[in-house]
Amino acid sequence: MTRPDVSARKRNRCMAALSGGAILLCLTLLVGMVWADGGKTDETISQISGIYLDEMADQMAGQFSSTMHSQFTRVSSLLTNITQDDLQDARSLERFIGMRQSNNNFLFFAVLDEDGYYYVKEGRYPGGEAPEVRAHLEAGEDSVSLQQTPAGAPFILFATPIAPIPFGDTRLTATLVGMEPSFLAARLALNQEDSEAYANIVSREGRYVMRSGWAGDALGGGNLLDFLAGHATFD
């Protein structure tokens, strides 16, 4: 009767244990590598996204500044070709204002005199509204702001001082134009390599001043900051 080789069985058990340990170690290392690589991948994606967004933001800011400058130039030149016939009386001025408003597709067009009265196509009215706009104009500064129509619809108000124009016993000193927010939104879209980027303008309180229509209500309904507080994670 052959005697069992005890040492061989011990070696087999030892090798099996070592093999199992080696497999476990490999699995542990593999999981660790995947986890570490995943973390680096997330970090890399975050870095690339940050660079892309920074570049896009710079382009948007440049296009916004260019758009604002061109609109102020446009608003300040609206009375360039006004004639003495257009300044003959209030009715003539109102007719001129109505034609400029219609030809440029403005929401409204108004002219301010040095006594604080606004002239629009419907007549002359005291300028009691938007005192902050008046303050900028009296200081010789351009002004752009978000205003609302009597029905509550938002619009962008551009106001700029002009060289005084004699009119009766007063002088015309500023022009004001109301534009639909969508008018500016279309001009702030970036077209690059068959893709488009759209701009929204948000106030410090999170309220949309100008909103492109591509996202619908996906970005927080009426307030972006409230939406981000409930849905976003910040580093």
Side-chain angles (χ1 to χ4, degrees), residues 52 56 60 63 184-191 194-201 210-215 219:
Y52 176 79
M56 187 65 68
M60 284 288 189
Q63 187 153 327
L184 293 179
R187 284 156 179 75
L188 291 179
L190 291 179
N191 301 305
D194 299 325
S195 64
E196 293 186 347
Y198 299 91
N200 297 312
I201 300 177
M210 187 198 75
R211 184 172 186 171
S212 60
W214 69 272
L219 292 180

Side-chain angles (χ1 to χ4, degrees), residues 37-217:
D37 187 61
K40 290 181 179 179
T41 300
D42 291 343
E43 182 179 354
T44 301
I45 292 174
S46 178
Q47 290 175 348
I48 293 174
S49 298
I51 293 172
Y52 176 79
L53 290 174
D54 285 343
E55 180 181 351
M56 187 65 68
D58 288 342
Q59 293 184 44
M60 284 288 189
Q63 187 153 327
F64 178 79
S65 297
S66 177
T67 299
M68 292 298 103
H69 176 74
S70 66
Q71 295 308 313
F72 276 120
T73 300
R74 182 185 180 194
V75 172
S76 65
S77 65
L78 288 171
L79 298 188
T80 299
N81 296 323
I82 196 168
T83 67
Q84 287 303 314
D85 288 340
D86 299 320
L87 297 168
Q88 184 175 355
D89 52 31
R91 183 67 60 86
S92 300
L93 179 59
E94 292 161 14
R95 185 166 50 249
F96 173 86
I97 290 171
M99 291 178 58
R100 285 290 186 272
Q101 178 176 331
S102 176
N103 292 342
N104 289 277
N105 198 29
F106 295 143
L107 190 62
F108 79 89
F109 172 39
V111 179
L112 178 69
D113 71 18
E114 62 185 355
D115 299 317
Y117 285 90
Y118 291 102
Y119 298 82
V120 294
K121 66 179 183 178
E122 295 85 4
R124 186 182 82 154
Y125 300 93
E129 298 182 0
E132 70 283 357
V133 175
R134 284 282 307 279
H136 281 291
L137 293 175
E138 290 172 359
E141 302 171 347
D142 294 333
S143 171
V144 59
S145 60
L146 178 68
Q147 303 291 335
Q148 288 187 335
T149 66
F155 66 90
I156 307 295
L157 176 64
F158 288 88
T160 185
I162 60 172
I165 298 175
F167 176 63
D169 58 356
T170 187
R171 297 186 303 171
L172 308 178
T173 57
T175 53
L176 301 92
V177 165
M179 298 182 188
E180 297 279 1
S182 58
F183 175 85
L184 293 179
R187 284 156 179 75
L188 291 179
L190 291 179
N191 301 305
Q192 294 182 333
E193 299 178 358
D194 299 325
S195 64
E196 293 186 347
Y198 299 91
N200 297 312
I201 300 177
V202 183
S203 70
R204 294 181 183 274
E205 295 77 27
R207 186 164 54 99
Y208 284 97
V209 175
M210 187 198 75
R211 184 172 186 171
S212 60
W214 69 272
D217 289 332

